[in-house]
Amino acid sequence: MDTDPTVNRGGPEVDAFRGSEPAGGGPRRVLLVDDEPGAADLAATHVERLLDGVETVTRTSPTEALDVVREERVDCVVSDYNMPGTHGLELLEQARAIDPGLPFVLFTGRGSEEIASEAISAGVTDYLQKGVSRDRYEMLANSVENALSRRRAERDLREVNAKVTAIHEFATDVSAAENAAEVFERVVDAAEGILDFNRCVTLHRRGDQLVPAARSASVGEDEVRTFAVGEGVVGATAADERTIVVDSLSVDPADPDALEDPESPGRSGGRAESDSATGDPDARAGAEELAEPVADDIRSAISVPIGAYGVFQAVSDGYAAFDGGDVEFAELLAAHAADALEQLETEHALRAERDRLSALFEDLPLPVARTAGGDGSERRLDATNRAFEETFGFSEAGNDYETIREEVVPDDEPNIDPAAVIAADEPLRREVRRKTADGLRDFILNVIPVERPDETIIYNVYADIGEQKRIERTLRRLHETTREMFRGGDREEIAALAARAAVDILGFPSSGVRLYDPDAEALLPTALSEEATEALGERPAFGPGDGRLWDAFETGESIVVDDLNAVDTAIGYGEHRSLLVVPLGDHGVMPLGSREPGFFDDTAIQLARVLGANVTVALDDARRTAQLRDRDAELQREIDRLEKFAGLVSHDLRNPLNVAAGRLDIARTKIDDDDALDELARIAAAHDRMEELIDDLLALARQGRTVDELESVSLADAAARAWRSVDTADATLELPERTLAVEADPERLRTLLENLFTNSVEHGVTESAADAGSVAVSVGALADGFYVADDGGGFEIDPEEAIEYGTSNDPRGTGFGLAIVREIAAAHGWSMDVIDEDGARFEFRTDR
C-alpha cells in the first residue's frame, strides 16, 4: 500500500482517497541441514518440487544453520541426526533458544527407537527416517507442509490474539476520549498500529455531510474531501450503516498485478457487505457501480460505518487486500468507536442537562433545598440556592440537615418524613408555615423525590403564599364587615363602616364614602376617615364637572391616578399624590388616597373593588329595607284604618241592630195576627242577614293582615279540625298524608279550609245531581304546595269573579267566603288558582 496520490480525472471519487501503496509478502523458507551436501540439496529439490510457495536454504553444518536461524527468517528446519561435532537434537535445542516456536523435523538415516524416543521427548515437530523407499521425500514434504501449516496457524492465532488484546485495550483507551475528534484520531491510530492499515481515514457525519476527521500520516490533506450521505462508497456506507468491501477497482489487464485470478474461489469483483464475499452478482454490481470511476492505482477498499456517527475507510493497490479477518477487526474497531461516541453524546447530553438543571436550581426565584441519602443512611443537606439563603438566612455551607430543619420548621408544625415520600415515589404538595429571616411566613412546599443509582435526591421547593394568605385573611375580614353592614341599618352607618374598613382592613392611608343626593344632584361627603380629613381638610359636595369623583360615579368605572401632581385636576386633593375612586352603583363613590405616588397596585385595586361591591350590595339592601319599612308602615296604617272602620261598622250597626231585634221581640208578644207575624219573621231574617254581613266584614278586615310568624302545620290535621267545625251533611273528605306540612299561621289556615269546605258543601250540589247532598271533598299535595277540590257542580259564574267581594251564585250567600280565602292566601304570600273542571279546585303555591 505504498503508491503516490493521483489527481482525479473528472468523475466522482469512489472514496476518501486518490492513491494507494504496494502490498508485501513472500514464500515460506525451509532450512535443510545435513553434513552430506548432496543429501541436503536432494532433499531441498524434492521439497520445492512437491510444495508450492516454498523456498529452501541448505547448510552442511549446525553452526552455519544457527547463523541462518539467527539472522534470517526461517519457517521450518529439516535436520539430520548425526553431524560432526554435534547432533540434530542439540541443534534443535539451540535453534529453539533463538525461536521457541520454530518447527523442527528430524530427518535421519540412523533410526532407532531410542533416538525416536529421545527426539519426541526433546520436542521435535516430526521424526522421519531417510531410508531408501520411493516415497520418503513425499513423506518429508508432507511433514514439512504440516509443520508449516501448524506454524502459520500458531502465528495467525498469536496475531489474532494480539489484535484482539490490542483492540480491547483500544476500547478502554477510546472510551476515555474527551471529544469526538479524539475518537476519530484514535481509530486511525489503531487501524495503523493493530491492523497494519497504513492508508486509512475517518469521516464524521454532520447532518447530510461526511466531513474528514482524521487521516493516516501518508494521506495528504488534498487527498480527502467531504461527501454527501449516499454519495460513493463512503456515502452509501453511512446511508445504509453497512460495511462495503470492494476487491477489484479499475483493474488494468496489462498490469502484472492484475494476473491475480479475480475469478478464483472466494473472490469477487465487489462485495457490497462483509458477508457477501461468496460472489452475489447483484452485490458485486452494486459495489462496482458505486466505485466507478476511480484512480487507476486503487485496487481494493474497505468502508465500515462507525455507528450513525461516521465512516472508517481503508484502501490498497493490491487485489482483494482485505480478507474476512480484516473486515471483522475493522468492524470491531468501529463498533468500539461508535460506543465511545455514543457515550460522549450521552455524557454531553447529561452534562448539558446537569448544567441546565444546575443553572435552573441556582437561578430559580423560589427557595429550593436539595437533600440526599441512601438506604438506611441519614439525610444530608446537599445544596441550597440563593433564594433559599435570602429567604431563610441559611445555606448548606456550614449547616447540616438537622440544624436547618430545627431552625426553619416551627415547633408546632408537623414534620414531613422523607422516607415516606421516597416510599410513595410521588411528589408531595403541602401548605406549610416556616420561620424565615423576616418572621413566620406561609408557603406551598413541593417535595420531589428523584431516584439515583446509589441514593435518592429530594428537592424541597417553597412557593411563598404569604400574600395569598394575607388576601384570604383580608377577604374574610371584609366578609365580616359586610355582614356588619347588613346589620348596620341606614346608609350613613354603612358608609362609616366602609370608610373604616378601607383603612383598617385593606391598609389604605385614607378613605371616604360620598353618597349621591338626587335633590342636590351632588355627591355628599357622607363618611371620611380621620386620615382623609387630616390630608384633605373639610370637603364640600361635588357635582357634575367636579373632577374624577364625578366621572367615576357617572361612568360606573373605577379611576386610578398614580401621581396627582402630574395631571390636571378640577378640584384639589390636599397632600394626596395617589387616587383611587371606586363607584358604588347609583349610590355614590368611595374615594381612596395616599401621599405616596403609585400606591395602588393591581392587588390593591382588586381588593378596593371587592369592598366597593360589598358596600354597594349593603346600600342596595338598606334601600330595599327602607322601602319595605315604608311600605309596611303604609300597610299598617291601612290595616289600622280597616280595623277602625270595621270597629265602627261593628259598633254603629250592631247597636241599632240589637235595638231593632229587641223591639221586634216585643212586637211579637203584642201581635196575634198571622199575617203580621209573618211580616215580623221576614224582619227577623233581615236582621240575621245584617248580623252575618257584619261578621264577614270583620273577618275580611282581620284576615287580610300580613302573616309575620309561621310554623310548620300538618295539613291533614288542620283539614280534619276544619271539617269538624263545618256542617258537612252527607259530604265526605279525603285527607292527604300526615307527613305533608305547610308553613302557615295555624288559625288562618284553619279558617281558609273551613271557608273552602263550606263552599263545597253549600255550592257543590246541583239540582240535577242524581244523589243530591253527597259531595266528595279532597285535600292533597302539589309539587310546590297543596290543593282543595270537590266533585260537585263547579261554578255557575266565572271563577275569578267568584272570589271577589260580595259575589256569590247563592242568593243567600254574602259573597265574602272565597274573598276571605284569597286574602288569607295573599297574607301568607301564596299564589291561588281557581279551576272549574269536574267540580271546583283551588290550588295554592306555597313556595315563596
Side-chain angles (χ1 to χ4, degrees), residues 475-488 494 497 501 505 610-611 613-615 617-618:
L475 291 175
R476 280 197 298 269
R477 294 183 63 190
L478 284 180
H479 178 66
E480 294 170 359
T481 301
T482 301
R483 295 174 61 185
E484 190 176 355
M485 289 179 190
F486 275 91
R487 298 190 299 266
I494 293 173
L497 286 170
I505 297 177
V610 171
L611 175 59
N614 291 347
V615 174
V617 172

Side-chain angles (χ1 to χ4, degrees), residues 367-559:
V368 183
R370 187 173 65 209
T371 65
D375 293 339
S377 63
E378 294 185 358
R379 298 207 68 76
R380 69 180 189 279
L381 185 63
D382 188 53
T384 57
N385 66 350
R386 283 193 298 268
F388 186 92
E389 184 175 357
E390 293 169 358
T391 301
F392 297 103
F394 295 95
S395 69
E396 80 280 5
N399 295 283
D400 58 27
Y401 173 73
E402 290 297 334
T403 299
I404 292 186
R405 186 172 185 174
E406 292 175 2
E407 292 293 334
V408 170
V409 181
D411 294 337
D412 58 349
E413 188 78 8
N415 284 324
I416 296 175
D417 184 9
V421 176
I422 294 171
D425 195 25
E426 289 184 357
L428 173 69
R429 189 176 189 271
R430 181 177 296 177
E431 185 175 318
V432 298
R433 177 163 287 192
R434 292 291 184 262
K435 292 184 288 186
T436 71
D438 301 326
L440 282 175
R441 283 162 60 182
D442 296 296
F443 297 89
I444 291 293
L445 172 59
N446 290 278
V447 184
I448 307 168
V450 179
E451 285 284 348
R452 288 185 178 176
D454 54 343
E455 61 184 1
T456 300
I457 299 295
I458 293 182
Y459 289 90
N460 299 272
V461 184
Y462 290 88
D464 191 346
I465 58 170
E467 180 66 11
Q468 175 185 333
K469 301 296 286 186
R470 185 187 71 80
I471 293 175
E472 289 177 0
R473 291 191 291 269
T474 298
L475 291 175
R476 280 197 298 269
R477 294 183 63 190
L478 284 180
H479 178 66
E480 294 170 359
T481 301
T482 301
R483 295 174 61 185
E484 190 176 355
M485 289 179 190
F486 275 91
R487 298 190 299 266
D490 59 24
R491 303 197 319 158
E492 287 71 18
E493 293 179 28
I494 293 173
L497 286 170
R500 285 315 315 166
V503 175
D504 297 341
I505 297 177
L506 301 186
F508 295 154
S510 70
S511 67
V513 174
R514 286 179 171 269
L515 298 180
Y516 178 65
D517 184 349
D519 296 330
E521 295 186 3
L523 295 168
L524 305 182
T526 309
L528 291 178
S529 67
E530 296 176 3
E531 297 82 357
T533 302
E534 180 182 347
L536 299 171
E538 295 298 326
R539 305 297 283 172
F542 293 143
D546 285 342
R548 288 168 172 77
L549 273 68
W550 185 264
D551 292 342
F553 173 68
E554 192 171 46
T555 63
E557 300 290 337
S558 299
I559 292 178

Side-chain angles (χ1 to χ4, degrees), residues 1-6 18-25 196-199 216-219 223 257 297-299 315-318 321:
M1 296 170 58
D2 292 324
T3 58
D4 293 331
T6 60
R18 297 208 187 117
S20 60
E21 296 179 351
D196 293 329
F197 295 170
N198 59 1
R199 295 288 291 172
S216 298
S218 58
V219 178
E223 297 180 58
D257 289 341
D297 46 12
I298 294 179
R299 297 297 173 82
V315 297
S316 172
D317 66 343

